[in-house]
Amino acid sequence: MKRGKRDFLDLAGWPVADLREVLALATVLKSEKIPGRQPLAGRTLAMIFEKASTRTRVSFEVGMYQLGGQAIFLSRQDTQLGRGEPIEDTARVLSRYVHGIMIRTFSQEDVVRLADYASVPVINGLTDLVHPTQVLADIFTIQERFGSLQGLKIAYVGDGNNMANSWINAALRFGFDLSLACPPGYEPDELILARARREAAGTIELVREPAAAVRGARVINTDVWASMGQEEEAAARRRVFAPYQVNDELLAQAAPGAVVLHCLPAHRGEEISGAVFDRFQELIFTQAENRLHVQKALMAQLMGEE
Ligand code: CP
Ligand code: NVA
């Protein structure tokens, strides 16, 4: 993989060969029960959080520690960003201190601007538009479970949000067939969908009926109906999305042996029934664990020595 200053802003921005290289390294890192190598010794990751997080924060922080480096947690209100310091200046200042920046925020444009002005790699830890580290870990989880993505149909049921958009980008790069079921008015990003439909090797379909999306699918994904920042819409969204719950009735329409993934946090009784969550909880928590292994591989690639 080409090294130097390189960013991870969305899955579409990386060639599939490089994504596969990260996944291969993640497999090796996961197999090392006690982390043996420390490619990031003496290096620091700044983590800017403008939204809440459990998994992303802890997995990046622990990952840096295990690779010999350290991470600094920066919340908006505790930094000058919260008092209006431009993101361009923040990028230039942090680049003088740290070796990489991870950011979770609202606008994808802010992440792109941060990356433009930073001289160190920038990793997107979730925006309103995409959540690429999550879906890369999800791909890793599917490969672990099924051996490969070859011939798999993957479904996404629910809100056309950052997870849906990232699944579309993943289909663009990895070439599997993807079917999304979203209610009217809650479709994925038009540009991301149009590009993927133009360029992807597999089929990418957007349907209304959850049953149509899961038919023949071996993997079914869902996500919260109200994402961070949409809390006030939660009640209205519960009404719109009620027919989009991943439950036993829906699973009966999927391929035999189909599995359910969830990026978490989950709202049992909303996007996923309690019974379905419980049945797939081992896989879902492995999926959460895999964030650590995949992000370690990503950071080692982006921030490690040549
Ligand atoms: N899935 C995920 O990104 O979780 P957090 O919001 O807890 O980081
Ligand atoms: N779509 C969710 C994902 C959380 C990991 C959100 O943005 O809140």
Side-chain angles (χ1 to χ4, degrees):
M1 179 198 288
K2 204 166 121 272
R3 300 282 170 80
K5 151 72 171 169
R6 191 174 191 196
D7 307 303
F8 185 72
L9 307 188
D10 62 22
L11 289 167
W14 276 42
V16 71
D18 292 357
L19 296 172
R20 288 195 202 283
E21 218 178 293
V22 172
L23 297 176
L25 179 58
T27 303
V28 175
L29 293 174
K30 185 170 182 177
S31 72
E32 292 173 348
K33 292 275 176 278
I34 299 165
R37 53 181 110 192
Q38 303 222 308
L40 300 186
R43 299 190 176 219
T44 304
L45 176 75
M47 308 190 301
I48 303 172
F49 280 93
E50 301 200 56
K51 290 180 176 179
S53 170
T54 298
R55 281 145 289 271
T56 305
R57 177 185 175 175
V58 177
S59 55
F60 269 103
E61 193 162 334
V62 170
M64 274 307 285
Y65 174 73
Q66 291 185 356
L67 293 174
Q70 60 174 337
I72 303 175
F73 175 77
L74 301 167
S75 69
R76 168 176 267 272
Q77 61 269 29
D78 298 327
T79 60
Q80 298 289 1
L81 261 179
R83 299 180 57 252
E85 183 167 18
I87 199 133
E88 294 86 344
D89 290 354
T90 305
R92 288 181 283 207
V93 170
L94 289 178
S95 296
R96 302 290 180 113
Y97 301 134
V98 303
H99 305 86
I101 305 170
M102 196 282 297
I103 179 165
R104 166 169 288 196
T105 189
F106 295 86
S107 139
Q108 181 75 6
E109 288 70 35
D110 281 351
V111 177
V112 172
R113 219 139 33 94
L114 181 76
D116 282 348
Y117 283 84
S119 57
V120 297
V122 170
I123 299 173
N124 184 348
L126 179 147
T127 60
D128 291 346
L129 189 69
V130 286
H131 193 5
T133 59
Q134 176 68 56
V135 171
L136 194 57
D138 300 349
I139 295 288
F140 181 86
T141 308
I142 294 169
Q143 287 187 345
E144 250 184 349
R145 174 79 183 212
F146 292 99
S148 103
L149 294 167
Q150 198 65 40
L152 281 187
K153 177 183 170 185
I154 297 181
Y156 176 94
V157 177
D159 188 18
N161 61 15
N162 42 16
M163 286 300 298
N165 292 333
S166 295
W167 274 109
I168 295 169
N169 279 337
L172 164 68
R173 283 293 168 251
F174 288 93
F176 54 81
D177 290 338
L178 177 68
S179 187
L180 305 110
C182 306
Y186 297 89
E187 292 89 355
D189 184 78
E190 271 178 32
L191 291 177
I192 290 179
L193 185 60
R195 175 184 176 183
R197 280 181 159 160
R198 256 191 335 266
E199 297 177 22
T203 308
I204 300 173
E205 62 170 11
L206 175 61
V207 298
R208 293 286 175 229
E209 291 296 320
V214 304
R215 203 160 294 134
R218 306 283 302 280
V219 181
I220 296 158
N221 296 281
T222 187
D223 184 22
V224 291
W225 290 340
S227 285
M228 289 181 275
Q230 298 171 334
E231 288 76 10
E232 283 173 9
E233 299 173 31
R237 282 169 169 266
R238 269 197 290 277
R239 284 190 292 278
V240 173
F241 283 99
Y244 288 78
Q245 184 183 77
V246 174
N247 52 29
D248 280 308
E249 199 186 328
L250 185 64
L251 273 188
Q253 312 286 322
V259 300
V260 175
L261 292 178
H262 195 307
C263 66
L264 301 175
H267 293 75
R268 294 167 180 80
E270 292 188 20
E271 76 275 1
I272 188 165
S273 71
V276 167
F277 187 93
D278 287 349
R279 208 157 63 254
F280 292 100
Q281 60 172 302
E282 179 54 34
L283 183 64
I284 290 170
F285 290 120
T286 297
Q287 177 187 4
E289 176 192 327
N290 286 338
R291 295 287 303 279
L292 172 66
H293 309 301
V294 171
Q295 287 159 198
K296 279 170 69 180
L298 183 64
M299 291 190 291
Q301 295 278 28
L302 290 179
M303 296 164 60
E305 297 282 356
E306 288 283 321

